[in-house]
Amino acid sequence: MKKTINIVILGLADIAQRFVIPTLLGMPEHFSIKAIISKSGRTTSLFKKKINIIHGDYSEVSSIPNVDAVYIPLPNGLHAKWIEFCLLNKLHVLVEKSLSVSYKQTKKLNDIASKNKLVLLENFQFRFHNQMNVLKNMLSDGEIGKLRCLRSSFGFPPFKDKNNIRYIKDLGGGAVLDAGAYTIKVSQIFLGNDIEVKSSSLFIDPELGIDLWGGAFLKSESSNLFSEIAFGFDNHYQCNLELWGSAGKLSSSRIFTAPPEFKVELLLENGFGKKNIRIDSDNHFEKMLFFFHSLVVGDDDPKNEYKDNINQSRLLEEVFEKSS
């Protein structure tokens, strides 16, 4: 395939406007935005001079010529419908997390992608931040001895907009599929894919019918490693990762959402004392898009992404099933 990917964007979520679209525009040798399809005209003024804006149904993507891929930042509850539509129209897909609202949907979508040799990438951009490499290397080097457990918290105060899609049950709202998804993803990265949810606790808002906050305990099936996670929409802001080992601890207070210009600071605690480790600013959105590009043009194999997508969805569903 040619090296410049023609991409169409379905919808204009905040993450798309603030981070993904500006990053795409800064990568002209890798991506060309053919159009944004939006059902609302009020949020498109930022890009209307640079990008073709189509006001209409998302299905119009199938009538735009020479499209290779789509980026889908729609509400969770709409993901499955439009991922399937795009895959059946032979388009590669980058989709915001969570990929779908059920394990059954996610399994079906990844089977379609695999059968049609198409990329289906769930956007956890934090995977590509350099702090992840530093943490992995320090763990491998024995800076904290042998890993014993992982703790991660991601949550924030209530949204001012009471009509926020995260509060709407029919659109796949709730803390598990939003903030909780990050903590589950990072648990797999450090503990492996054979973890299972052993217990969970969710507070379901009686009026909204969605989970506002909660937590879970996950354990590896092949070792004694475990993960303790917490998340929520009605919490003091937290964006943390703690790796606790036999001889020390590694911590990050901005593991998931470090802006491109932000300098992350890790904390190492061990028998030699405490040490702050400064990580240079890093654009994990750009790195994520480079990875998506490499998958689409065939430089990387998407098979591992199918497996990871399905495993992520399994664990999300287990959080709901094990809730007490």
Side-chain angles (χ1 to χ4, degrees), residues 99-156:
L99 193 148
S100 83
V101 298
S102 76
Y103 174 80
K104 183 178 180 180
Q105 286 181 347
T106 299
K107 180 68 167 59
K108 177 184 177 182
L109 294 169
N110 282 273
D111 287 346
I112 294 172
S114 178
K115 179 180 178 180
N116 289 282
K117 298 181 179 180
L118 294 165
V119 176
L120 178 51
L121 178 64
E122 187 174 21
N123 179 25
F124 285 99
Q125 72 281 342
F126 79 91
R127 290 170 53 192
F128 304 95
H129 197 284
N130 193 44
Q131 70 171 314
M132 294 294 289
N133 292 327
V134 174
L135 287 166
K136 290 176 183 177
N137 290 337
M138 294 182 72
L139 197 58
S140 297
D141 290 343
E143 295 279 6
I144 61 169
K146 293 183 179 180
L147 183 63
R148 297 299 192 219
C149 77
L150 176 152
R151 295 190 178 110
S152 182
S153 302
F154 189 30
F156 18 85

Side-chain angles (χ1 to χ4, degrees), residues 76 85-86 94 116 126 138 158 185 206-207 226 245 247 249 253 255 281 297 322:
N76 292 328
F85 180 87
C86 292
L94 169 65
N116 289 282
F126 79 91
M138 294 182 72
K185 190 68 175 180
E207 295 182 7
F226 61 90
K249 186 172 72 172
S253 61
I255 190 66
S281 56
V297 301
K322 299 292 177 68

Side-chain angles (χ1 to χ4, degrees), residues 51-107:
I51 305 172
N52 177 33
I53 305 295
I54 298 173
H55 301 291
D57 192 78
Y58 301 127
S59 62
E60 293 190 38
V61 66
S62 63
S63 63
I64 301 173
N66 303 316
V67 178
D68 305 306
V70 294
Y71 166 51
I72 303 178
L74 297 172
N76 292 328
L78 300 180
H79 285 177
K81 175 181 178 179
W82 294 109
I83 292 171
E84 182 172 2
F85 180 87
C86 292
L87 291 174
L88 293 177
N89 278 274
K90 310 301 181 185
L91 299 173
H92 302 281
V93 176
L94 169 65
V95 62
E96 283 303 327
K97 80 298 290 179
S98 287
L99 193 148
S100 83
V101 298
S102 76
Y103 174 80
K104 183 178 180 180
Q105 286 181 347
T106 299
K107 180 68 167 59

